[in-house]
Amino acid sequence: MSTSAHALKDPSAYAPKKTLVVAGGGGGDALAALMVARTLNLKPEDVVYATIVWERTIYDPQPGPRGPEDFETINEVGRYNHAIGPQSALAEPAVTFIPRLADAFDVTYYLMNIRRGAVHVQQQVKELHALHGFEDILVVDVGGDILARGDEETLRSPTADGLTLAGMHDAPVDVRVAVTGFGLDGELTDEHMREIHDELPLDPAYGEPCPITSETASAFMDAFQWLPSEVSGMTCASALGYSGTAEIRSSGLRIRLNEDSHTVRVYPYEPVWNRNRVAQDCRDTTSLDEVEAIVRSFGLTSEMDYERRSAEKLEARGDSVAPTVLSEDVLQTLDSELMQYSDDAKRDGVDYLSIRRIAKVLGLNRSELNGFKKYLADTHPDRLRPPVWVC
């Protein structure tokens, strides 16, 4: 790991900021954090960003989130923190899209190292406050499952959100939780969302819910040409006027895009903390093993278990990250299979497929998917509109 050390002895070396914006789920949430910050009229020069690094197995075969030791290049900042810039990179063959986001939008992200549990994140937050002197913290979650209790049967990814929320406990400044893309990850039912709306008050500092505008969404839409984020992508598409039913994930979950899909709601930290029992139980954790045990105690499957199974399947299938040149015959066969699946899905009421869903349906690895996307962009530009395929 290549690092560039920065001492804490001279805090004036770090620009003062008003708000620390934390992407609660990593990956696509890191882009959503930028969209939400703009929607809430936070000035770029007043914001510093932090994120978890946790990509899907097709891009990172190692299960679970990443820590600084997994990077070939990352900047060491103080005792507890590391900064991810455009030149940062995970050790091959793993890929994270955070450095490319940093480059595309001219920001730096601090790495929230949840591999060491909530206690370490709490230490990181306090150190970042000493560096930048921010006045408040905004945790951003796309999908809304950070607002879950932890006993919902449909909940599939409580670890990142629970640890992020626990990592903000006892922060030196006020913490708020911003949610957009409500329900777009398929983890909360309509009933769950109604309960949340009834039980959780909005934060008076931000007032009523506000939509992500088409102008804001347009500024970020091109990133989905290369950023494989379903939920943030669907949120962005919704803001641009896409509506209807989308089929997402490997399992083919179906979600609805409507006006509420790109609405931003901001909640005070305390009511969210009191509701999220997974976060409460994670408060004093110092390792992922402890967190996994807590998640299982709620009768939930940990994300690491899912990714371990996924990695085993990839290994058994012999997936390679080496560049793959798909022959014309193979491309035409894939095209035919996609058209047939799209037609069947359309008859069943589906308007869009996510790129991730296409990869699963057609059995494509990362390199093959990239090649097929280029083919679709050339042959069906009217239907391939990342992050969606129009049925």
Side-chain angles (χ1 to χ4, degrees):
M1 176 179 67
S2 174
T3 64
S4 175
H6 298 264
L8 281 175
K9 294 180 180 178
D10 182 15
S12 63
Y14 298 87
K17 302 291 182 178
K18 289 185 178 180
T19 303
L20 171 65
V21 176
V22 180
D29 282 18
L31 182 141
L34 303 177
M35 287 199 296
V36 168
R38 183 174 295 191
T39 299
L40 297 178
N41 296 316
L42 302 182
K43 296 179 180 179
E45 63 270 22
D46 290 339
V47 180
V48 61
Y49 292 93
T51 185
I52 297 165
V53 172
W54 195 343
E55 308 290 354
R56 292 190 287 116
T57 358
I58 190 173
Y59 297 103
D60 182 359
Q62 177 178 302
R66 293 302 196 129
E69 66 278 3
D70 298 314
F71 280 77
E72 287 187 342
T73 306
I74 194 169
N75 293 328
E76 183 180 349
V77 180
R79 181 178 179 184
Y80 300 109
N81 283 283
H82 293 77
I84 303 172
Q87 304 306 316
S88 301
L90 287 172
E92 293 185 352
V95 170
T96 175
F97 297 90
I98 304 301
R100 191 165 179 181
L101 282 172
D103 186 37
F105 298 103
D106 192 27
V107 298
T108 296
Y109 292 94
Y110 285 107
L111 170 64
M112 290 284 97
N113 185 14
I114 63 172
R115 291 182 65 87
R116 298 180 63 182
V119 170
H120 184 76
V121 177
Q122 292 160 14
Q123 293 168 325
Q124 289 187 271
V125 169
K126 290 172 183 176
E127 183 174 75
L128 289 177
H129 181 254
L131 287 171
H132 293 289
F134 45 80
E135 299 170 6
D136 63 353
I137 298 172
L138 187 71
V139 176
V140 175
D141 174 55
V142 187
D145 38 310
I146 196 170
L147 308 178
R149 289 185 304 267
D151 58 0
E152 295 85 351
E153 292 182 0
T154 51
L155 197 59
R156 294 175 181 84
S157 56
T159 303
D161 295 319
L163 271 171
T164 300
L165 205 57
M168 302 304 118
H169 202 269
D170 291 333
V173 294
D174 288 340
V175 180
R176 297 177 177 89
V177 178
V179 169
T180 191
F182 231 134
L184 293 188
D185 55 4
E187 299 198 29
L188 296 175
T189 65
D190 289 343
E191 183 180 353
H192 293 148
M193 288 187 282
R194 283 192 296 270
E195 289 177 356
I196 288 169
H197 292 326
D198 289 342
E199 294 177 15
L200 291 180
L202 293 174
D203 193 284
Y206 285 94
E208 293 300 308
C210 57
I212 297 172
T213 65
S214 59
E215 180 182 6
T216 294
S218 296
F220 296 96
M221 195 65 173
D222 284 350
F224 296 103
Q225 298 285 345
W226 47 266
L227 180 69
S229 170
E230 286 182 306
V231 187
S232 293
M234 293 296 174
T235 302
C236 201
S238 169
L240 290 171
Y242 291 65
S243 63
T245 299
E247 192 172 277
I248 66 170
R249 292 196 171 189
S250 301
S251 58
L253 280 170
R254 293 183 179 179
I255 51 102
R256 291 286 300 173
L257 298 179
N258 53 40
E259 290 184 0
D260 197 47
S261 301
H262 56 277
T263 297
V264 177
R265 292 178 173 86
V266 182
Y267 302 91
Y269 177 83
E270 205 64 29
V272 177
W273 167 259
N274 290 335
R275 196 173 200 277
N276 192 319
R277 292 162 51 203
V278 173
Q280 293 172 39
D281 286 2
C282 287
R283 176 182 173 181
D284 297 321
T285 55
T286 57
S287 72
L288 271 181
D289 289 341
E290 291 178 78
V291 175
E292 279 199 88
I294 289 168
V295 169
R296 293 186 186 117
S297 74
F298 282 84
L300 301 171
T301 300
S302 99
E303 293 97 304
M304 278 75 77
D305 281 338
Y306 172 83
E307 291 189 349
R308 289 182 190 107
R309 292 193 296 270
S310 179
E312 288 172 0
K313 289 177 183 177
L314 292 178
E315 185 176 354
R317 204 171 70 183
D319 275 20
S320 171
V321 296
T324 301
V325 178
L326 299 174
S327 70
E328 191 64 28
D329 286 346
V330 170
L331 287 169
Q332 290 180 4
T333 298
L334 291 172
D335 187 319
S336 178
E337 291 176 356
L338 176 58
M339 295 306 144
Q340 182 62 59
Y341 189 87
S342 295
D343 289 345
D344 292 343
K346 183 67 175 178
R347 283 192 291 270
D348 200 27
V350 175
D351 300 292
Y352 311 105
L353 303 176
S354 71
I355 306 302
R356 177 180 179 181
R357 182 60 183 156
I358 290 175
K360 177 62 176 180
V361 168
L362 300 180
L364 302 176
N365 66 28
R366 158 171 129 198
S367 180
E368 293 165 342
L369 177 60
N370 288 338
F372 189 51
K373 281 171 60 180
K374 292 177 183 177
Y375 167 85
L376 292 177
D378 291 336
T379 56
H380 303 286
D382 56 327
R383 300 184 70 177
L384 183 66
R385 301 177 187 175
V388 301
W389 165 267
V390 181
C391 291

